[in-house]
Amino acid sequence: MAEIVPLLLLGVFSGFIAGLLGVGGGLIMVPVLLYLLAGTVGQAVLMHTAVGTALAAIVFTSISSVRAHHQHGAIHWKYFKQLAPMILLGAFSGALLTQLMSFDFMRVFFALFELSVAFIMYFGVISSEHVDSLSKWVWRITGYVIGLVSAIVGIGGGTMTTPFLTYNNVDIKNAIATSAAVGMPIAIAGALGFIVTGWNVENAIGGLGFIHTEALLSIVAMSVLFAPLGAKVAHRVDGKKLKKFFALFLAFLGLSVLAF
């Protein structure tokens, strides 16, 4: 019970933030899982297990979050359709690529990625072009990169999709809602990739490759309940304040992983 309670609380917070910011919750789950699983999972596969478990949890959290955002009519499904095909390919290949990466490489990559996105979001860098004017190749390359990087760091893609859309003049609330939808194919493809890569790896926890089933079930039990609440709050908060909070939140998590 002492081990499950922190995982349940992680599910509450990650689910709420997933709905609020459209990030899938992996940004919270990966850093916290590093600390919670450090005593039971070997360091050689610790980062892989944290990332794989986070992606598996995002599958369920995304469903709950997307449903809530869809009820508010905030998701731009046409942007989702343009990103999803290459995101699936990128996420699966990213998960397979992690078997060539060490714990420290993945940890530093994750931290620097979060800090970079936090900087861009906080200072509000915006393109002069609108998202609807982008070419098909921009959508394809962006989708693949979002999927690839998201699978490596264990996120639903919101930390890349939201800045991409807001940079191209999409309202922050619509960007967050659309990012929540984009997180679903990323999580599905990424989780499958971590099951495949961890299936026969020595020191892996077993069961579902790099996915820690006990942690997964505990997190999902609470995150699916609190994601709709986060989505509800997102549509009542000032967009500019939400954007600043998003950026500061990313910076804090990036620094925490860098210090691990």
Side-chain angles (χ1 to χ4, degrees), residues 131-145:
V131 68
D132 289 327
S133 66
L134 299 178
S135 70
K136 289 183 179 180
W137 280 107
V138 171
W139 284 104
R140 289 169 182 168
I141 294 171
T142 300
Y144 184 81
V145 172

Side-chain angles (χ1 to χ4, degrees), residues 192-202 204-211:
L192 287 173
F194 276 96
I195 290 173
V196 171
T197 56
W199 198 259
N200 293 312
V201 174
E202 188 178 355
I205 55 174
L208 289 173
F210 283 127
I211 297 174

